[in-house]
Every structure is written in structure tokens, then in C-alpha cells.
Amino acid sequence: MRKSIIIALSASVTLAACANMNREQQGTLIGGIGGAAVGAAVSDGSIWGVLAGAAIGGLAGNRIGAHMDEQAKELEQAVPTAEVNRVGEGINMTFPAALMFKINSAEISPQYRDDLAAAAEVFKRYPDTNILIEGHTDDTSTDEVNMRVSKARAESVSDFFVSQGVDPARLDEMWYGESQPKYPNDSEANRSKNRRVELAIYANEEMKQAAREGTL
């Protein structure tokens, strides 16, 4: 119990401190406290937990943060319909499912394929990152249906990236149905925001080693 309390407090202190730091310093602080511990406290294995857990901190984490700044800027420019945020030593990218899919469908809409293709081009320019793809829904259907839809959408996006030349070894998929809303499911506007595909983009082992050696 005491260990859990310490971890939770560490996460709270870390996230509060991050608000007053630049992006590179955020990565250093998270890794310095212990990324895996912070990640466990922040999230049950989802985007923010993965990004926190992947942080290595210190000077190496600082270098990774600077590298991720460049990739985040390119993603913002390439896909203006997506939300791109730098988190610690990684990137959180959110695609709106309302634009990407029809209701209860996992087929990527023709008008959104260009956006995903543009994201894939950026990913190919940064082969030293891994990408977790998560599917999420609102609460307007049954748990079973929502889980199935979120799984199919995460896999559909992953398959599309592979079709565009992204190495499948870099990709992983998770799905949560309606269980991880970003907003209360109390209005159509909020439900629309909860229907989403989120990405965690973080350093692979090669980038981490290069950062440690000062060659990144």
C-alpha cells in the first residue's frame, strides 16, 4: 500500500511540474523519477501510461525530447485534422473517428485516407520510433459492440499504415471500447470527441541507445 501511495504521489508531482517545463525538460523529469512507475499510476497501460513508461530521462531523455519536437511539428503540418501533443519523451496523436469512419464501421473513409497517408510519410522519415494505435468509442452501443468496433478500427488504421510502407514491426494495437472516455458521455459533442483513434509515438531501443551515446 505504501508503495502505491508513493507511486501515485510521484505521478502527481511529476505531472504538476511538467506544466511549468519545456518539452525536453518534461522528458528528463519523468524518466528521472521512474517512467514505469509514473506510467502505472497515470494510466492502465493506455497512451499516457505507455509514453510515461517509455521515458528514460536524464540527458538522453532530453535528446529524445528534442528529436520528438521535430516529428511532432511535421505531423501537425501533415495532418491538420488531427490533434498532436508532445508528452514527455513521446507524442500523442488523436484522429477523430467522426471524420475517419462511418458509424459502426471500421472502413476508413476515402476523404481521410490522404490524411493518414500523410501521417505515414512522416512516420517513415522517423524509423526509430514505435507506434501504439488505440481504438475508442462512446457509450451509445453495448459494451460488446463498442469493443468490437474499437478493435476493428485500431487494426484498420494499423493495416493502412502498413499498406503505406510503415514497418509492421513498429506497430501495436489496443482497443478499449467505451471504457476510456476523454470527456463525459453527456452530450453529442462530447460523445463525438470520445469516438477516436489515438496514437502513442515513442522511442525504440535504437533511438534510446543513440541518445545515451550522444549520436542522436
Side-chain angles (χ1 to χ4, degrees), residues 54 64 68 89-90 128-130 201-205 207-208:
I64 290 173
M68 289 295 184
E89 295 171 16
D128 49 3
T129 57
N130 291 327
I201 303 157
Y202 55 98
N204 65 13
E205 290 305 315
M207 183 195 288
K208 291 178 180 179

Side-chain angles (χ1 to χ4, degrees), residues 84-213:
V84 179
N85 293 300
R86 280 277 288 103
V87 180
E89 295 171 16
I91 301 168
N92 174 209
M93 189 173 190
T94 303
F95 297 107
L99 296 178
M100 199 185 306
F101 306 104
K102 292 181 179 179
I103 294 177
N104 291 329
S105 172
E107 183 179 354
I108 298 169
S109 60
Q111 61 267 30
Y112 210 78
R113 287 178 172 267
D114 287 345
D115 293 62
L116 288 182
E121 289 303 312
V122 177
F123 295 149
K124 288 190 291 184
R125 290 197 291 272
Y126 293 87
D128 49 3
T129 57
N130 291 327
I131 305 165
L132 171 65
I133 303 166
E134 288 189 352
H136 299 271
T137 70
D138 63 19
D139 67 344
T140 54
S141 191
T142 66
D143 289 348
E144 181 181 2
V145 169
N146 287 335
M147 193 65 74
R148 183 172 67 248
V149 169
S150 64
K151 176 179 185 290
R153 288 178 173 178
E155 292 176 341
S156 181
V157 172
S158 180
D159 290 344
F160 183 84
F161 286 152
V162 172
S163 76
Q164 298 298 301
V166 178
D167 183 354
R170 299 173 57 193
L171 305 176
D172 197 10
E173 305 86 37
M174 295 293 293
W175 47 91
Y176 295 95
E178 65 184 74
S179 66
Q180 293 190 0
K182 275 190 168 181
Y183 304 90
N185 281 299
D186 55 6
S187 68
E188 178 51 34
N190 281 347
R191 287 190 177 95
S192 178
K193 295 175 185 177
N194 287 330
R195 298 191 293 268
R196 67 199 191 275
V197 173
E198 287 199 65
L199 274 56
I201 303 157
Y202 55 98
N204 65 13
E205 290 305 315
E206 287 74 15
M207 183 195 288
K208 291 178 180 179
Q209 187 60 34
R212 294 186 183 103
E213 295 172 352

